[in-house]
Amino acid sequence: MNSPMRVAVTGAAGQIGYSLVFRIAAGDMLGKDQPVILQLLDIPQSLPTLKGVVMELEDCAFPLLAGINITDNPETAFRDVNIAMLVGARPRGKGMERKDLLEANGAIFIDQGRALDEGARRDVKVLIVGNPANTNALIAMRNAPSLMPGNFSSMMRLDHNRALSQVAAKLGRPVAGIRKMIVWGNHSSKQYPDLNHAEVGGDKVARLVNDPAWVEDHFIPAVQNRGTEVIEARGLSSAASAANAAIDHIRDWVFGTRENDWVSMGIPSDGSYGIPEGVMYGFPVVCKEGGYHIVPDLEISEFSKEKMQATYRELVDERDSVKHLFG
Ligand code: NAX
């Protein structure tokens, strides 16, 4: 048996946390021979709820669960962690503008970036889920100067998985057969789900669909607006699917993406595909040996370029509105 890995989850008392921590403890993320120690962070008001979650974790008697720590202190939560899943964030309150939300959450991710810088393992894998996820990830990264940009990522995987399911349903093919999907840019309604490179059984999805109007008028808005639709139906935002996407994201980052495929991850832009450095942007990436790299040399249509720039501009606006928060 391997020695335990330390996994921090922030916002662990929240609804995504409740769908996430049991699956991590069951071995769904790091494998059935990998013990884990959970380091769970939440704010003081949520600690009583978190204690209840811990009681339930204990009651599962998970063989792989080697320890649980709970705290309201980011430095304690991130000490020696291998994996940090930053889910906790402030929800948008009544009368709160988007800018106020950026500001309130920005402050959280400054502290958490510093705490990661101070205490996490140097090869820590950090995933930011809490919204606005891409910009929060940028703030955390900039406030952790002794870690590498490659330690950080933000979550596009839920959008990616939603896109796969839309295509599988349209073609009546198993979702596992769909490869090479991309969701570019921001995790917001400006994201660009791109099926131009997607394949199923060696055929191009776009050729099989053969319906540009479906792509533009149905597929793209369906993926962009899926989160809102879930809220309307459930009265709560996506939780189990978000937790599942977070598990997929980390699992692929740790173990590698499957052959002849890639995944969408929010990562630091490096100038690829006309997206200048300085934002966390959803790119198609291949994960290998614990790292990730952007899939190079894809042909990009004019239609795609325009959508990719629109989602980039939104990220620049978000970044510029909280410029003063960068380390
Ligand atoms: P909940 O409101 O159920 O839970 C949030 C938890 O975070 C609460 O327990 C709260 O006490 C805690 N929290 C607040 N401030 C904190 C801080 N400074 N440190 C630690 N914990 C803190 O929200 P939930 O539905 O779990 O969603 C969590 C976040 O994920 C939200 O920001 C949400 O917008 C975001 N999402 C991101 C997605 C993505 O694809 N990137 C998809 C799902 C989700 O909407």
Side-chain angles (χ1 to χ4, degrees):
M1 194 63 101
N2 298 324
S3 54
M5 284 174 78
R6 293 180 181 272
V7 180
V9 176
T10 77
Q15 44 149 10
I16 295 177
Y18 194 69
S19 292
L20 183 59
V21 294
F22 296 89
R23 291 194 55 195
I24 298 171
D28 289 357
M29 187 168 83
L30 296 171
K32 300 290 181 191
D33 56 358
Q34 178 58 62
V36 290
I37 296 172
L38 288 173
Q39 307 196 165
L40 308 178
L41 176 77
D42 214 302
I43 51 177
Q45 304 89 289
S46 298
L47 288 185
T49 309
L50 191 50
K51 285 190 181 133
V53 175
V54 170
M55 286 159 71
E56 284 203 72
L57 279 164
E58 289 166 353
D59 294 349
C60 291
F62 286 119
L64 293 172
L65 188 53
I68 317 172
N69 307 319
I70 68 171
T71 178
D72 58 8
N73 179 345
E75 282 170 22
T76 309
F78 295 143
R79 194 159 301 139
D80 298 326
V81 287
N82 305 81
I83 311 277
M85 305 172 84
L86 277 51
V87 178
R90 255 190 73 177
R92 197 170 189 157
K94 256 204 173 124
M96 223 175 167
E97 299 288 328
R98 189 171 170 80
K99 175 150 184 352
D100 303 328
L101 183 70
L102 275 160
E103 188 90 20
N105 278 309
I108 294 174
F109 288 88
I110 290 180
D111 282 353
Q112 296 191 357
R114 287 180 183 156
L116 284 162
D117 196 50
E118 187 64 36
R121 282 176 53 110
R122 298 300 87 180
D123 61 354
V124 64
K125 290 180 168 50
V126 184
L127 166 64
I128 283 84
V129 175
N131 277 321
N134 302 53
T135 298
N136 289 341
L138 188 70
I139 294 170
M141 182 181 90
R142 292 275 181 87
N143 283 281
S146 72
L147 294 172
M148 301 298 285
N151 292 106
F152 288 86
S153 66
S154 67
M155 194 161 92
M156 301 298 291
R157 187 60 174 267
L158 179 54
D159 310 291
H160 182 100
N161 287 347
R162 287 167 172 164
L164 290 175
S165 279
Q166 291 289 328
V167 165
K170 171 74 175 169
L171 296 178
R173 304 284 283 263
V175 76
I178 321 282
R179 291 168 180 269
K180 302 187 177 176
M181 183 60 72
I182 310 175
V183 182
W184 300 97
N186 198 3
H187 169 69
S188 81
S189 57
K190 278 244 159 56
Q191 64 182 244
Y192 172 45
D194 177 2
L195 56 60
N196 287 309
H197 308 277
E199 296 172 1
V200 57
D203 280 322
K204 285 277 186 200
V205 163
R207 200 181 62 74
L208 294 176
V209 169
N210 194 23
D211 184 355
W214 178 81
V215 176
E216 268 189 60
D217 303 336
H218 181 86
F219 169 73
I220 294 174
V223 177
Q224 288 171 330
N225 300 325
R226 185 71 165 185
T228 309
E229 269 190 55
V230 170
I231 293 175
E232 276 163 16
R234 226 169 70 85
L236 288 167
S237 59
S238 307
S241 56
N244 179 67
I247 283 174
D248 285 351
H249 178 114
I250 296 289
R251 195 197 49 230
D252 285 346
W253 194 357
V254 170
F255 294 110
T257 36
R258 64 179 175 170
E259 275 301 302
N260 196 30
D261 200 4
W262 60 60
V263 294
S264 305
M265 284 170 68
I267 62 165
S269 53
D270 66 355
S272 298
Y273 296 106
I275 307 303
E277 282 182 33
V279 291
M280 280 277 176
Y281 190 93
F283 284 104
V285 301
V286 167
C287 301
K288 212 175 170 180
E289 290 162 8
Y292 56 66
H293 68 264
I294 298 175
V295 177
D297 303 327
L298 296 172
E299 207 173 302
I300 307 293
S301 68
E302 285 307 312
F303 175 85
S304 294
K305 276 185 196 157
E306 194 196 303
K307 299 261 180 227
M308 287 160 66
Q309 287 299 320
T311 183
Y312 168 67
R313 283 194 298 275
E314 185 182 51
L315 283 168
V316 170
D317 286 348
E318 283 186 13
R319 181 191 68 198
D320 288 351
S321 72
V322 287
K323 239 187 196 140
H324 53 288
L325 300 180
F326 292 113

